[in-house]
């Protein structure tokens, strides 16, 4: 390792002056310590991009490892003579663990390998969840793959038009609100769908995300093509004395999460009752008692989060399945649509796997290129997807906005006599 060549980066250096820790400092200090020219070249190219207001990465072809169709994202510089250490700067996606629990020894071995074979720059974690190893050359891809799988016993994550690496919250390993074992579910589906994860065969990407409760800490409803949210179907458990303690100010709302300033006395009507999306709650001032119409509750858990010592989810637990969230690509951003309000989930999860395969089969057959499943539903209509594709019966929970569409479409077999009409008979009743 010789001396490294540094570049003049006045715009990039401004990022070091703010009140927050800067990735610029991190990359420069790492590059100095390990004499990594790629660290300085990447900063030099970024400075050029800031000056030109355009990227200097180009698509130079598809790269990958033998037997896998994903996990590696090819990246090449269009300034290779100026920044030779990053002529290629491929990204490796390493499949994260369920709940992102790691042993420090495993992380040290991973970082040692990346110091040796790549730029040393790591992102914990990407937006899908994978560990992102940023920057290596083509000749190192197969050695990296061998080291990961045979030495470290890690696997590549998903990329391209395939199942992306499933992700979940910390679940029952740390959170009292987890209603299902999301880590077990995450692991089981990851292992069951290895082919879909590593060998792209879909119209476009597909993401699973698992949240242990409706508070949805992994933002599955906003980001996943198929969301699995822990829920319950019996009644919310109420400790009426604890409710009264909140009202009297003896217990802090939100478990004290907003106690950094004085928000005034707790107002159960303003902070809980009036914010219930289905208006299923009532506080009787005279009786000092909270009433909940559980048949109208949509399990948003806002009331439980505000008064955690007074309210608890029910005990008959399972999952709700939502489909169709995505960021803006072809169409605008979408949130998920509820498809199954409640499903019991127990190993080996056969009912759930059958549901997933049914949705995939139709999407793979009818989806357009780069069309997410949410866009497919938008194109064919939710009614057709629920009834004809998934074979489900429409229920009120499927209605997002009442009376949003004034048109009712009938099938010919649903209309008495079908579409065929006798024109002469019609003219008798409606003369011209």
């Amino acid at each position: 390792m010789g001396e490294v060549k540094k570049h003049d980066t006045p715009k990039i250096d401004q990022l070091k002056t703010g009140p927050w820790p800067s990735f610029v400092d991190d990359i420069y200090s790492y590059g100095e310590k390990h004499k990594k020219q790629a660290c300085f070249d990447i900063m030099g190219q970024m400075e050029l991009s800031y000056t030109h207001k355009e990227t200097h990465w180009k698509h130079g072809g598809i790269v990958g490892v033998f037997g896998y169709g994903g996990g590696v994202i090819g990246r090449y510089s269009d300034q290779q003579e100026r920044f030779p250490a990053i002529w290629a700067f491929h990204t490796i996606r390493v499949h994260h663990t369920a709940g992102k629990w790691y042993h420090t020894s495993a992380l040290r071995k991973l970082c040692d390998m990346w110091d040796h074979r790549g730029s040393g720059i790591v992102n914990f974690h990407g937006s899908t969840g994978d560990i992102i190893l940023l920057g290596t050359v083509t000749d190192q891809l197969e050695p990296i793959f061998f080291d990961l799988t045979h030495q470290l016993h890690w696997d590549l994550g998903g990329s391209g038009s395939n199942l992306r690496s499933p992700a979940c919250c910390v679940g029952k390993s740390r959170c009292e609100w987890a209603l299902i074992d999301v880590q077990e579910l995450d692991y089981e589906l990851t292992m069951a769908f290895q082919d879909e994860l590593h060998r792209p065969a879909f119209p476009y990407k597909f993401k699973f995300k698992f949240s242990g409760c409706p508070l949805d800490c992994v933002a599955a409803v906003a980001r996943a093509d198929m969301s699995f949210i822990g829920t319950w179907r019996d009644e919310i458990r109420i400790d009426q004395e604890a409710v009264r303690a909140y009202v009297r100010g003896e217990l802090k709302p939100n478990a004290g999460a907003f106690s950094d300033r004085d928000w005034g006395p707790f107002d159960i009507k303003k902070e809980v009752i009036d914010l219930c999306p289905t208006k299923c709650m009532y506080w009787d001032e005279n009786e000092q008692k909270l009433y909940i119409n559980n048949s109208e509750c949509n399990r948003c858990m806002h009331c439980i989060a505000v008064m955690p010592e007074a309210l608890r989810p029910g005990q008959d637990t399972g999952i709700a399945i939502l489909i169709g969230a995505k960021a803006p690509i072809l169409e605008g951003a979408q949130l998920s649509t509820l498809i199954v309000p409640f499903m019991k989930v127990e190993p080996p999860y056969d009912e759930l796997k059958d549901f997933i395969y049914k949705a995939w089969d139709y999407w793979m057959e009818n989806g357009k290129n780069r069309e997410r499943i949410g866009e497919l539903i938008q194109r064919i209509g939710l009614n057709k997807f629920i009834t004809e594709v998934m074979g489900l019966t429409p229920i009120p929970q499927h209605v997002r906005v009442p009376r949003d569409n004034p048109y009712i479409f009938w099938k010919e077999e649903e209309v008495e006599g079908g579409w065929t009409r006798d024109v002469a008979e019609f003219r008798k009743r409606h003369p011209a």
Side-chain angles (χ1 to χ4, degrees):
M1 293 188 296
E3 287 301 311
V4 293
K5 177 185 176 183
K6 300 180 181 179
H7 305 280
D8 186 26
T9 56
K11 294 183 177 67
I12 292 295
D13 291 343
Q14 289 182 34
L15 298 175
K16 300 189 290 184
T17 62
W20 309 108
S22 170
F23 73 91
V24 178
D25 276 324
D26 290 342
I27 292 176
Y28 275 146
S29 61
Y30 175 82
E32 289 277 10
K33 179 179 179 181
H34 295 272
K35 302 302 180 184
K36 289 276 190 178
Q37 183 61 49
C39 292
F40 296 96
D41 280 5
I42 194 72
M43 292 290 97
Q45 181 168 298
M46 188 179 294
E47 177 76 19
L48 197 63
S49 292
Y50 279 25
T51 301
H52 293 167
K53 296 182 172 59
E54 61 186 17
T55 183
H56 282 287
W57 296 116
K58 65 178 182 178
H59 194 292
I62 301 297
V63 292
V65 296
F66 185 74
Y68 278 22
V72 180
I73 298 90
R75 187 171 288 114
Y76 298 88
S77 172
D78 67 7
Q79 301 288 318
Q80 296 180 4
E81 293 185 4
R82 192 167 179 179
F83 307 111
I86 59 167
W87 71 270
F89 205 73
H90 307 317
T91 292
I92 310 291
R93 288 183 178 169
V94 180
H95 200 302
H96 56 282
T97 59
K100 299 183 176 66
W101 290 103
Y102 302 104
H103 196 287
T104 53
S105 64
L107 293 179
R108 288 192 182 97
K109 291 176 182 177
L110 179 69
C111 290
D112 287 344
M113 182 278 294
W114 191 236
D115 284 341
H116 176 57
R117 300 204 178 275
S119 70
I121 302 173
V122 183
N123 175 14
F124 285 88
H125 296 81
S127 59
T128 296
D130 291 321
I131 297 173
I132 308 299
L133 305 182
L134 288 163
T136 193
V137 295
T138 307
D139 290 346
Q140 288 289 351
L141 293 178
E142 287 295 342
I144 289 169
F145 185 46
F146 181 88
D147 287 350
L148 279 173
T149 55
H150 290 72
Q151 308 292 343
L152 305 181
H153 307 294
W154 295 58
D155 200 0
L156 296 187
S159 68
S161 296
N162 63 2
L163 174 65
R164 299 299 178 86
S165 307
C168 68
C169 62
V170 293
K172 292 186 175 182
S173 65
R174 192 168 176 82
C175 181
E176 64 181 300
W177 300 119
L179 302 169
I180 56 170
D181 190 344
V182 290
Q183 290 167 307
E184 164 65 23
L185 197 54
D186 183 331
Y187 178 79
E188 174 64 29
L189 294 189
T190 298
M191 299 307 291
F193 298 131
Q194 282 290 295
D195 199 49
E196 289 80 4
L197 204 158
H198 293 306
R199 296 165 186 92
F202 292 158
Y204 200 23
K205 66 181 80 170
F206 197 96
K207 298 180 180 181
F208 287 157
K209 294 193 187 297
F210 309 86
S211 283
C213 78
L215 295 178
D216 192 15
C217 289
V218 295
V221 173
R223 301 193 297 156
D225 295 274
M226 192 172 288
S227 308
F228 307 93
I229 311 294
T231 187
W232 67 95
R233 62 180 171 185
D234 51 345
E235 297 187 348
I236 294 176
R237 292 171 284 166
I238 307 175
D239 182 339
Q240 295 290 354
E241 184 51 45
V243 175
R244 289 188 280 271
Y246 277 106
V247 173
R248 293 192 298 264
E250 298 167 6
L251 293 174
K252 292 183 178 180
N254 297 284
F258 304 108
S259 57
D260 57 323
R261 56 172 286 189
D262 184 8
W263 296 93
F266 176 66
D267 185 336
I268 190 172
K269 185 175 186 305
K270 179 180 177 182
E271 299 180 45
V272 178
I273 307 301
D274 291 348
L275 295 179
C276 175
T278 61
K279 308 301 179 188
C280 71
M281 308 183 76
Y282 171 70
W283 170 249
D284 191 306
E285 193 68 44
N286 296 324
E287 295 183 33
Q288 291 285 289
K289 188 175 182 180
L290 179 66
Y291 291 91
I292 300 177
N293 181 358
N294 284 275
S295 64
E296 292 295 318
C297 173
N298 70 352
R299 279 57 172 173
C300 76
M301 264 184 73
H302 169 74
C303 60
I304 297 173
V306 175
M307 301 190 296
E309 294 190 49
L311 302 176
R312 290 272 158 177
Q315 296 176 300
D316 185 5
T317 59
I319 59 169
I321 304 176
L322 299 91
I323 297 181
K326 63 172 211 60
I329 300 291
L330 298 182
E331 299 284 345
Q334 291 177 202
L335 294 179
S336 295
T337 297
L338 179 70
I339 303 297
V340 178
F342 187 90
M343 179 188 289
K344 273 288 188 184
V345 282
E346 297 173 351
Y349 308 109
D350 288 337
E351 183 182 3
L352 179 57
K353 292 172 185 175
D354 289 343
F355 176 91
I356 294 168
Y357 275 128
K358 186 177 289 188
W360 278 352
D361 287 346
Y362 185 85
W363 178 51
M364 292 171 70
E365 185 69 26
N366 297 278
K368 298 179 180 179
N369 185 39
R370 292 176 66 85
E371 182 178 55
R372 301 282 284 272
I373 194 168
E375 292 165 328
L376 170 69
I377 295 172
Q378 194 176 41
R379 176 163 60 86
I380 68 172
L382 181 62
N383 181 50
K384 179 175 181 178
F385 182 79
I386 290 172
T387 57
E388 296 182 27
V389 177
M390 302 307 296
L392 302 173
T393 301
I395 54 176
Q397 288 94 323
H398 290 146
V399 180
R400 180 158 42 187
V401 181
R403 300 178 180 85
D404 183 54
N405 189 335
Y407 299 101
I408 298 174
F409 297 94
W410 303 90
K411 299 177 185 177
E412 184 172 7
E413 59 268 23
E414 296 174 331
V415 178
E416 186 177 349
W419 301 138
T420 305
R421 292 290 183 270
D422 187 328
V423 176
E425 287 296 320
F426 180 83
R427 289 301 179 201
K428 290 180 182 179
R429 299 192 304 274
H430 304 277

